[in-house]
Amino acid sequence: SPFLTASEATVMALGIHVDTGSLTYEGTSARDAAALAWLMEQGASLRVIAEYVEPGLSPQLQDLLTVVLENLQLETLRSYTVGSVLLTTDTFVPGLSSLASRLLDLTDTDALLLANTYGLKESGSREKENSGEGVVSNRLTIIGRSRIEGTNLNELFQSLGGGGHTRAASASLRNVDPKQTLKQLVEQLKTQIPHPPIARDLMSSPVRTIRPETSIAETHRILLRYGHSGLCVVDDRDRLVGIISRRDIDIALHHGFSHAPVKGYMTPQLKTIAPDTTLPEIESLMVTYDIGRLPVLDNNQLVGIVSRTDVLRELHQQKQKGKQGAEHSQKHRELPYCPLPEFIQQLLAASISPQLQQFLSQAANIAEKRGWKIYLVGGAVRDLLLATPEKNLSLTDIDLVVDGYKNLGLGKTSTHQDFSVPKAQTNNYKSPAVELASALQKLYPAARLEVHGQFQTAALLWHKDPEMESLWVDIATARTEFYPYPAANPEVEASSIRQDLYRRDFTINALAVRLTANRTGELLDFFGGLQDLQTKQIRVLHANSFIEDPTRIYRAVRFAARLGFQIEPQTERYIRHALQSGIYERVQGDKASTPALQTRLKSELKYILQATYWQPAMQMLGDLKALRCIHPTLELDRGLRRQLRLVECCLKGRQNAEPGTINNYQLPININDWQLRLEVLIAYLAPKNRGKVAANLQLPIDSIKRLEDLEEKKTKVVATLLGCEMPSDLVLLLRQYDLSMLILVAVQSPRKVRRQIWQYLTKWVNFEPFLNGNDLKALGYKPGPKFKQMLDRLLVAALDGIVRDRVSAISFMAAHYPQSSAL
């Protein structure tokens, strides 16, 4: 029946009150409240409930509380305290759940199992009943309470026939061994207790260090270079001897001690931790001694450092646990604000191919055997988190980062430790990235292994492989970078995963997923990239990012156009400030090499101009005045927009032409659409600047030559075309020029000239005069230099309508080139 009696409703409501602490326990759900409301509608008696659920303990329970406190057994496991106690009473004791809750608060235990064993007389044989005797049955009631994240008392007690909530449950048993049953339950509960994070999981590694003899001025320069707030000081045996903070350095500089060694200003008395120090212990040390960072020592060697930020991030991650329904999120593909490792693992399994999953697992296994950590980073993580059921993720280009270097000692005199490899030693040295790639290539022999450059990054490449398809995997060791001057190539050094992510362009690209144990699936998001994905905005990591690398302006626009995101307002202000500062013009005048305004800028322009979204991206660049990175005078004004539209009409007309029609003008030479669009941009500059800009962007030689000659050729073409009356005049003039040149001339010319060039491109560029050289040989003409003259004359006749078909072409050749004269 869907309806209950008042007594039944009261008993059920009482159970909810007890299990949820009258809806106050942390594990209480909305379903509990809804169920309680429905039971009240069914007539549950609040008077009876209040009698059993009371804030105070009954006299009987108060007496038992003393007994329980005297006999409570406490165990500490993984920084959690677990309590257990067995009460023996003559009869059933009501309200033991209240006693358990009170005991949990009084003892400050994290989990408690309260067991009560008692005897219950049951009916036996008729003879014994008549004699007043009965069968005594042993009963055991166990009540559990837990405040430990990750434990599930409901699951634990279901094995005993009981149940409840994850944080509160109970079971009632008969004829069991009370001590043994409670002991087994305690052991099972202990297996549920999660391992707390330890320093090895939280720490940043490797650690940048200096020697005690390093000067204050040099230390200040290192702090500025790497953006650190402090440095560890180690002796010549790499043993930690102190820490110096930016505040210490600032005071020393203020008093004029720039040349003094840091050993006179560092803090020598340090609190340190071991790699297996737990999070609660770390938290306690930081709070007790007001420490912002704790060095991690293993056998007296510095292996990492844990900062206050690391601790806060981990505590925030733990806080989210229990608040997210990973199963619900996976079902609806809703992205949690702080996704747990389990969610990320489910997302990977649902979004990428089994073959790629296996490859990543193999990479993780190899890294773990060598004591390294490996991460999936950058665009692959971004696209993974943006994947939807309607649009499955297809990764063709992924980046892996290996965190495998030891500490970065800066030495006594060196300004920085460069982990690049001398060319003479390259063949004898393998970075962690190359070693990992080499090991993977042995498992995947179909992949081509490439080792890049002095810094020993590597790549594995598959092309149309039956299993891996076309896949490019870049593998690098965690690095940091420093720009010696704006628009330069950065100086790259080995570093930690945190610094590797910090060197990236935008928060949405500074995400990483850990692939190695014990925290597989952990999402590293140090800069709020996940939130920016949710709000669909492009946000830069630091204020000087665009000053250091102007190509990031173009990358911001490219990602915004491709993903449908907005550039975050402060990021846009940074872009405009960098462009208006004039820094790019100054640095080009002062420095011989500015790769960010040369080859790297061309690469970004190629990405944009060959994409389907190039037009909105170009409009964004114009609104930002960002084309001045190409040249200070270049702006996307009305005239340039018109020329870009004209060239697009030309390219679309070529693509949309129907085969076999007179308007089919498949260009006979390779014209890169993106390069032609770029040439239109450069051609909009003053003639004297075109060749210089094209050379600066390192365009092909023919492109540079075309832009240098454009003005002269345009003048000649325009003047000559005005006098062309017959089609043959037009064709004979225009076929002297390559088609890219004609398109550039057309978009810059008056309408009449443009129409003539369009007519040539669409009608005459591929026109054939009905006969070719083979036909002439078949007609009996002997091959020779005169063939060209004969075919050209036939072409003119065909263009001007004198010759209209093959028959008339043969007659034309016979009339103008009799066989006797042709021989």
Side-chain angles (χ1 to χ4, degrees), residues 474-695:
D474 275 310
I475 306 176
T477 305
R479 297 169 291 173
T480 187
E481 61 187 25
F482 178 77
Y483 289 83
Y485 56 87
N489 275 334
E491 297 175 358
V492 180
E493 304 171 22
S495 188
S496 65
I497 183 64
R498 184 198 300 270
Q499 288 294 316
D500 191 277
L501 295 176
Y502 184 68
R503 73 183 180 84
R504 296 171 186 268
D505 46 14
F506 309 108
T507 59
I508 62 171
N509 295 330
L511 297 163
V513 171
R514 180 165 170 170
L515 302 178
T516 42
N518 295 320
R519 299 162 72 87
T520 305
E522 178 185 23
L523 178 68
L524 272 61
D525 178 16
F526 299 118
F527 315 107
L530 185 61
Q531 188 172 16
D532 288 335
L533 281 178
Q534 293 172 319
T535 56
K536 296 186 176 182
Q537 63 178 0
I538 308 296
R539 183 163 57 89
V540 76
L541 267 66
H542 55 89
N544 290 315
S545 184
F546 302 114
I547 295 289
E548 293 178 337
D549 188 353
T551 61
R552 287 174 177 162
I553 298 173
Y554 285 72
R555 289 173 63 82
V557 167
R558 174 156 63 91
F559 288 124
R562 174 190 160 193
L563 300 174
F565 284 19
Q566 297 293 320
I567 297 178
E568 183 255 345
Q570 183 58 58
T571 298
E572 182 176 333
R573 286 192 284 271
Y574 289 146
I575 291 174
R576 294 188 183 279
H577 168 72
L579 291 166
Q580 293 167 5
S581 68
I583 184 64
Y584 306 141
E585 297 91 273
R586 292 198 300 272
V587 75
Q588 281 185 304
D590 296 339
K591 303 295 182 180
S593 175
T594 53
L597 294 168
Q598 295 173 313
T599 52
R600 288 182 12 230
L601 178 57
K602 184 187 77 171
S603 295
E604 286 303 321
L605 284 164
K606 178 180 179 180
Y607 283 131
I608 290 174
L609 292 173
Q610 71 184 2
T612 57
Y613 51 79
W614 77 269
Q615 289 170 304
M618 190 57 58
Q619 186 60 54
M620 275 191 270
L621 289 171
D623 294 341
L624 291 168
K625 308 292 185 184
L627 294 182
R628 62 182 61 179
C629 289
I630 301 174
H631 191 270
T633 64
L634 187 60
E635 292 192 12
L636 188 66
D637 58 16
R638 182 177 179 181
L640 182 53
R641 282 196 295 268
R642 175 176 167 276
Q643 292 187 14
L644 288 170
R645 284 197 302 271
L646 288 172
V647 75
E648 197 60 16
C649 289
C650 175
L651 295 173
K652 284 184 177 178
R654 180 195 67 191
Q655 295 164 358
N656 296 332
E658 297 181 8
T661 66
I662 198 170
N663 290 327
N664 179 19
Y665 65 108
Q666 298 297 325
L667 302 184
I669 61 172
N670 291 327
I671 292 183
N672 290 322
D673 292 4
W674 74 267
Q675 185 174 306
L676 185 58
R677 292 170 184 138
L678 179 54
E679 288 184 22
V680 171
L681 293 176
I682 298 173
Y684 199 67
L685 296 169
K688 64 179 181 180
N689 296 323
R690 295 169 183 166
K692 294 178 182 178
V693 170

Side-chain angles (χ1 to χ4, degrees), residues 720-736:
T720 310
L721 277 178
L722 294 175
C724 291
E725 296 181 357
M726 300 298 290
S728 59
D729 297 331
L730 183 146
V731 172
L732 292 176
L733 169 66
L734 297 183
R735 72 176 185 172
Q736 304 174 51

Side-chain angles (χ1 to χ4, degrees), residues 286-333:
M286 286 185 168
V287 172
T288 302
Y289 298 101
D290 190 25
I291 300 172
R293 61 186 68 84
L294 286 167
V296 184
L297 300 185
D298 189 6
N299 294 325
N300 291 323
Q301 295 295 307
L302 182 64
V303 296
I305 194 161
V306 176
S307 69
R308 187 179 285 120
T309 301
D310 297 324
V311 172
L312 289 174
R313 182 176 291 106
E314 182 63 31
L315 291 174
H316 175 70
Q317 178 89 358
Q318 290 186 2
K319 186 178 180 181
Q320 299 305 308
K321 216 163 190 177
K323 293 184 178 181
Q324 298 172 7
E327 182 178 346
H328 176 271
S329 296
Q330 175 63 21
K331 180 180 178 182
H332 298 279
R333 300 303 293 267

Side-chain angles (χ1 to χ4, degrees), residues 736-750:
Q736 304 174 51
Y737 305 99
D738 69 74
L739 300 187
S740 294
M741 174 67 82
L742 291 179
I743 293 172
L744 293 179
V745 169
V747 299
Q748 291 196 351
S749 298

Side-chain angles (χ1 to χ4, degrees), residues 432-475:
V434 174
E435 187 176 338
L436 175 63
S438 300
L440 284 167
Q441 204 268 339
K442 292 178 181 178
L443 298 176
Y444 294 88
R448 186 171 83 253
L449 173 63
E450 293 184 356
V451 176
H452 302 295
Q454 205 173 350
F455 289 96
Q456 293 277 290
T457 61
L460 291 172
L461 295 84
W462 289 263
H463 181 64
K464 295 183 179 179
D465 185 79
E467 291 189 353
M468 305 301 286
E469 300 179 341
S470 293
L471 177 66
W472 184 305
V473 179
D474 275 310
I475 306 176

